[in-house]
Structure formats: structure tokens, C-alpha cells
Amino acid sequence: GVSKGFLMGMLKMETNLGKNVGGCTYAEVEKGAEARYKSKKLSKTSWATFQRRREIFKSITKELGYDYKKKKVSCNPSGYTGTGGAMGVAQFMPDTWMGYKAQVASKTGHSPPDPWNLTDGVMAMAIKLSKTPGVTSGNRSAWKKAAASYLGTSYAPYINGVLYWADNYKKLF
């Protein structure tokens, strides 16, 4: 029920239509997160969350037959103190992916679903976005709210980019 344009706008902003699903290994992300934790730029709670996510990431890659040491994820952000590690075309964190995995499998028939697979990733994205009231009816303010929620912040250039590409997604091809 999520508009194709809105999904394309999100996909363009998240991974350039699946072309950029990450530039770092999980070990590289861990090294950066650990350095931030040791320098007190990352809280104890955030470090514990990162460690939990690392174990989930290992289980996801194992189930899919990937070498977790080689599979690419998002790098640590330079502009804020969070950690990288978002996976696949929808750029879900491992624990977030696990929350949508069963629904994705149910809708795509892929068992197990794969966050690096375009169909599975976009389905996860659509399921997540559809939870914001008004998104499936095409309400633009709902799209803004959903995009901000997806990113985790109301970063105007991101939201405006999503809306631009939602309106002009045919230019992507």
C-alpha cells in the first residue's frame, strides 16, 4: 500500500537504489564504535546495543551463508556519535531487521529473507513505512513523518530528498 514513488525516494536516499549498501565490514564499524566508547563519545548503553547487534548480525549472515567478516554494512557516521552497521538495501540495523523478518518472509515467500536482496529489502522498507498513519493514502505530511522516523531524526535535507525523488522517481531511470 506504500506509493512506488515514496519507496523509490526512500531507496534513493538510503542506498542510491541499492547501489551503496555499505562501505565497511562489521569489524571496521566495531573498531570505530569501540574507539568512540573508550573516548566517552558513545554511552555504555549504546556500546552494549552495538555488541548485541553484532551478535545478531553474525546470526543473520550465518543463516544466509555469508561470511560476516566480509559482508558490507554502513560505516560509522562522521556527523554524529552513533554507530554504523545498517544492512542491505533498506539499511536496517540487525535488531530492526529481525523485527520485520517474519513479515517479509510471509509477503515475499523468501525463507529466510535477505536484507541485501532488493525485493526483501524494499518489502521491509514498505512494511516499516506503512506503520505511519497516512503513508498508504499518500499523505505528504505522513511521508515526512515516516521518513524522519526511518532516519531517526528530522534532518531536512534527507526528508526533502525523499520527497523530491518521490515526486520525480521516473527520472531515476
Side-chain angles (χ1 to χ4, degrees):
V2 179
S3 149
K4 183 187 335 181
F6 185 45
L7 285 171
M8 289 293 186
M10 291 294 299
L11 191 60
K12 174 67 175 171
M13 295 303 292
E14 284 295 322
T15 60
N16 194 21
L17 303 178
K19 294 176 190 167
N20 180 14
V21 295
C24 291
T25 64
Y26 221 82
E28 291 169 318
V29 171
E30 181 171 9
K31 185 177 178 182
E34 186 173 19
R36 286 180 178 178
Y37 173 66
K38 286 180 177 177
S39 69
K40 302 200 184 309
K41 292 181 182 175
L42 191 65
S43 71
K44 189 174 188 176
T45 301
S46 294
W47 176 240
T49 298
F50 175 81
Q51 291 175 313
R52 183 175 49 81
R53 286 176 171 163
R54 177 191 59 214
E55 297 312 309
I56 296 168
F57 176 77
K58 286 180 180 179
S59 71
I60 291 168
T61 53
K62 181 178 182 180
E63 181 180 40
L64 294 168
Y66 297 134
D67 181 347
Y68 83 93
K69 293 178 182 176
K70 294 180 180 176
K71 201 67 179 162
K72 298 290 185 171
V73 295
S74 67
C75 300
N76 289 310
S78 59
Y80 62 94
T81 58
T83 65
M87 313 177 309
V89 297
Q91 289 292 281
F92 277 20
M93 295 306 259
D95 51 344
T96 303
W97 175 257
M98 294 304 288
Y100 290 91
K101 179 181 167 186
Q103 293 173 75
V104 172
S106 171
K107 298 212 181 279
T108 65
H110 299 163
S111 185
D114 180 340
W116 290 275
N117 173 282
L118 186 61
T119 300
D120 294 342
V122 172
M123 181 58 69
M125 182 181 276
I127 293 167
K128 181 175 173 107
L129 292 168
S130 72
K131 294 189 182 306
T132 300
V135 163
T136 58
S137 63
N139 180 301
R140 291 191 55 89
S141 64
W143 285 4
K144 288 179 182 180
K145 188 175 184 177
S149 175
Y150 197 95
L151 184 62
T153 184
S154 295
Y155 182 59
Y158 176 87
I159 295 167
N160 292 337
V162 168
L163 295 177
Y164 172 83
W165 288 115
D167 293 338
N168 297 285
Y169 76 92
K170 291 180 181 176
K171 292 180 182 179
L172 295 170
F173 308 102

